[in-house]
């Protein structure tokens, strides 16, 4: 009973970090999948597998470091008033909203978390075959046209307008 309580408490404390790691991994994986062609071009011009992984993970780490620093500064500014008010109610002197050790620790923790997860997710970027990913998505998608779309495109109007009208009926949700 005591062991189960200890384990559940540890899991409750680790849950935000696990969720953050999953979100970061999902974002990095999405970025890698969305930029497959660019990553293939990087490999085709001479980047090694390791260099591609470092570029992808580095982008994530730099972005996370800037966002975390901005978030910590915003949190310090936003917490100053409420902390001073609650400290005044409890003690004589107002408490400081700045704890450099905690702030730097949080920043380092975020950068390490993002860096570790980004390295795991970015490995896929280095495994791509340049010839395959460069050609990936370079051909236009084939779509089936119905009678209404062909009729709209045959209206005697300038070509961009006709194509726009036909596409509106071809992809109604996008339109």
């Amino acid at each position: 009973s005591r062991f189960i309580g200890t384990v559940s408490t540890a899991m409750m404390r680790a849950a935000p970090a696990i969720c953050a790691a999953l979100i970061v991994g999902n974002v990095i994986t999405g970025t890698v999948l969305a930029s497959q062609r660019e990553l293939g071009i990087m490999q085709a011009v001479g980047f090694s597998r390791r260099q591609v992984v470092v570029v992808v993970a580095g982008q994530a780490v730099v972005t996370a470091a800037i966002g975390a620093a901005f978030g910590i500064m915003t949190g310090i500014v936003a917490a100053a008033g409420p902390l001073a008010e609650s400290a005044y109610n409890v003690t004589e002197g107002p408490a400081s909203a700045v704890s450099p050790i905690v702030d730097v620790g949080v920043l380092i923790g975020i950068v390490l978390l993002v860096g570790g997860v980004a390295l795991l997710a970015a490995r896929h970027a280095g495994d791509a075959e340049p010839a395959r990913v460069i050609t990936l998505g370079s051909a236009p998608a084939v779509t089936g046209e119905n009678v209404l779309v062909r009729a709209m495109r045959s209206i005697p109007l300038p070509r961009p307008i006709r194509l726009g009208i036909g596409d509106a009926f071809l992809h109604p949700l996008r339109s």
Side-chain angles (χ1 to χ4, degrees):
S1 163
R2 181 183 289 170
F3 176 74
I4 293 173
T6 305
V7 170
S8 66
T9 302
M11 289 177 61
M12 293 282 285
R13 289 183 180 160
I18 293 169
C19 289
L22 290 173
I23 290 169
V24 168
N26 198 10
V27 169
I28 299 296
T29 302
T31 303
V32 168
L33 291 175
S35 60
Q36 284 272 328
R37 191 162 189 253
E38 290 82 9
L39 298 173
I41 291 171
M42 286 173 60
Q43 287 182 338
V45 297
F47 279 70
S48 69
R49 177 184 186 275
R50 175 179 283 160
Q51 289 171 328
V52 171
V53 171
V54 168
V55 166
V56 171
Q59 288 174 344
V61 168
V62 168
T63 304
I66 292 170
F70 181 73
I72 289 170
M73 293 300 158
T74 303
I76 290 170
V77 170
L83 280 177
E85 184 178 328
S86 64
Y88 180 74
N89 291 335
V90 175
T91 65
E92 294 296 322
S96 173
V98 179
S99 174
I101 294 173
V102 172
D103 296 337
V104 170
V106 168
L107 181 65
I108 290 171
I110 290 171
V111 169
L112 289 175
L113 174 77
V114 169
V117 174
L119 281 174
L120 291 175
R123 286 187 343 213
H124 181 68
D127 294 337
E129 299 173 22
R132 186 185 63 80
V133 294
I134 288 173
T135 59
L136 184 69
S138 60
V142 177
T143 58
E145 294 184 358
N146 57 25
V147 175
L148 184 58
V149 172
R150 284 193 298 268
M152 289 296 165
R153 288 187 178 169
S154 67
I155 296 174
L157 291 171
R159 184 168 171 82
I161 295 174
R162 284 185 293 144
L163 290 175
I165 292 172
D167 286 343
F169 289 104
L170 187 61
H171 303 285
L173 293 176
R174 187 186 307 167
S175 301

